[in-house]
Amino acid sequence: MKINGKDTRTIWPAADGSGDVEILDQTLLPHRVEVVRLRSMADAARAISTMQVRGAPLIGATAAYGIALALREDASDATLASAHATLLATRPTAVNLAWALDQMTACLSPLPPAERYAAAMRRAAEICDEDVEICRRIGEHGLALIQMAQAKKPGERVNILTHCNAGWLATVDWGTAISPIYQAQAAGIDLHVWVDETRPRNQGASLTAFELGQQGVAHTIIADNTGGHLMQHGLVDLCIVGTDRTTRTGDVANKIGTYLKALAAADNGVPFYVALPSSTIDWTLRDGVAEIPIEQRDPAEVTRMTGRTGAGEVVTVDIAAPGSPAANYGFDVTPARLVTGLITERGVCAASEAGLAGLFPEWS
Ligand code: MRU
């Protein structure tokens, strides 16, 4: 996708051939577009835990390059194992992290140490390229759902609600939930996106709105509690969100607040779709509410906000009563019964064990 008209990915090997890796620092968006260089595994781990990179597929891609950066220093078994453990501990909910680390370890551990670093850079690049292709296909399958919504109201604009950022900034390119929207835009469908601001870190207001604006997609930022009202008044045709971990039974963990949107959608008969690459499916889990680990982050993310002053300075301010405690649950789980369908790289299926097994028989 584009920033200021220039094709950009969220992560790439530095063009100078140094072996360093570059990322867009998403903590600075939308106020500043800045590239940060990752020189070591520790840099990659820090980028994930501080959310310079975030979004399930991008976390996995960054961890893959983190392994390569560790092996550049020392390609021993011990370093491979400790880099895997350090990167795995950076964030708990998105299973793409474990998936990518397992891919890297399976590919590298059988190799002699002298061959590992080059192989790691190659495998990390492949993981990125695969993610781009998978997200493009998710977009194609999701486009059919937007076309169906369009067919129900010929000549009228299709309104889609999304939560958090599951656009290209959350992946290597294209996005998951937003990829169908980009494909629909390219197909000439008249559409508009309701963007949940997504407190506490405002990924909707700062990232989704930024990328939709850069691509010229019509959108409106709304306070997180607005979706139910819009649905009651027929102003949402469908919801599409992403997910950080989906169970084999179709329960989906996504950014905190997703569950409440799914409840409102069910109450109002609005289709609620979840878009995901298969690397987000945790085939070991059946009960999302009981089993998916939910990240709890610094309460200061709730009691403070960062923004740009009229003078152009980016500042962080306290917004809460001094001394009041805050809780910061990063994700919630939407049970499969509230999900109309899962949009994957292999097609759209019911959010159920049978639905997923139909598309991914190798896991059934
Ligand atoms: O905390 P974040 O910003 O990493 O959370 C991101 C989300 O919840 C996304 O919706 C999810 O990772 C799907 S990304 C394609």
Side-chain angles (χ1 to χ4, degrees), residues 29 63 87 104 116 224 231 275 278 280 285 291 302 305-306:
L29 291 172
L87 289 159
M104 294 298 284
R116 284 181 180 167
D224 281 329
M231 293 184 213
S278 52
T280 300
L285 303 188
E291 296 178 290
V302 175
M305 280 182 93
T306 298

Side-chain angles (χ1 to χ4, degrees), residues 51 54-57 59 91 163-166 170-171 176 203 242-244 254-255 331:
M51 294 175 64
R54 26 68 50 205
I59 290 170
R91 293 194 73 190
H163 190 71
C164 192
N165 173 259
T171 63
T176 57
Q203 288 96 327
T243 168
D244 291 80
N254 192 48
K255 182 54 56 192
F331 299 90

Side-chain angles (χ1 to χ4, degrees), residues 87-113:
L87 289 159
L88 186 61
T90 50
R91 293 194 73 190
T93 302
V95 79
N96 307 59
L97 178 60
W99 174 87
L101 290 168
D102 289 348
Q103 293 279 316
M104 294 298 284
T105 297
C107 161
L108 301 168
S109 60
L111 299 179

Side-chain angles (χ1 to χ4, degrees), residues 31 101 110 114 125 131 143 156 177 199 284-285 300 310-311 314 321 358 363:
H31 308 302
L101 290 168
D131 183 65
L143 167 61
E156 283 183 67
R199 282 282 291 146
T284 68
L285 303 188
V314 176
W363 287 100

Side-chain angles (χ1 to χ4, degrees), residues 65-262:
Y65 273 119
I67 293 282
L69 290 167
L71 298 181
R72 183 168 67 162
E73 300 291 315
D74 168 14
S76 66
D77 285 352
T79 295
L80 179 56
S82 73
H84 186 128
T86 301
L87 289 159
L88 186 61
T90 50
R91 293 194 73 190
T93 302
V95 79
N96 307 59
L97 178 60
W99 174 87
L101 290 168
D102 289 348
Q103 293 279 316
M104 294 298 284
T105 297
C107 161
L108 301 168
S109 60
L111 299 179
E115 291 175 21
R116 284 181 180 167
Y117 168 61
M121 287 300 281
R122 276 197 306 274
R123 184 70 193 110
E126 269 168 25
I127 285 175
C128 290
D129 289 345
E130 286 163 13
D131 183 65
V132 175
E133 175 57 15
I134 283 170
C135 287
R136 193 190 62 75
R137 284 195 220 156
I138 288 171
E140 280 179 0
H141 297 301
L143 167 61
L145 302 171
I146 298 175
Q147 284 166 330
M148 273 161 52
Q150 163 83 103
K152 287 189 190 149
K153 47 188 308 200
E156 283 183 67
R157 183 168 256 207
V158 177
N159 287 299
I160 302 170
L161 183 141
T162 194
H163 190 71
C164 192
N165 173 259
W168 75 270
L169 291 169
T171 63
V172 178
D173 206 350
W174 283 107
T176 57
I178 307 296
S179 182
I181 290 169
Y182 291 136
Q183 303 254 3
Q185 180 195 35
I189 295 177
D190 183 18
L191 55 79
H192 163 263
V193 184
W194 296 109
V195 179
D196 282 351
E197 62 174 345
T198 318
R199 282 282 291 146
R201 288 186 68 109
N202 292 318
Q203 288 96 327
S206 60
L207 302 178
T208 303
F210 173 77
E211 63 165 89
L212 291 174
Q214 289 285 330
Q215 261 53 235
V217 176
H219 63 281
T220 306
I221 300 167
I222 48 176
D224 281 329
N225 303 320
T226 309
H229 168 78
L230 296 175
M231 293 184 213
Q232 285 175 324
H233 290 270
L235 295 170
V236 181
D237 297 303
L238 71 160
C239 303
I240 314 181
V241 301
T243 168
D244 291 80
R245 192 184 298 225
T246 294
T247 64
R248 66 183 295 133
T249 56
D251 294 343
V252 294
N254 192 48
K255 182 54 56 192
I256 193 79
T258 302
Y259 170 47
L260 296 179
K261 292 302 140 60

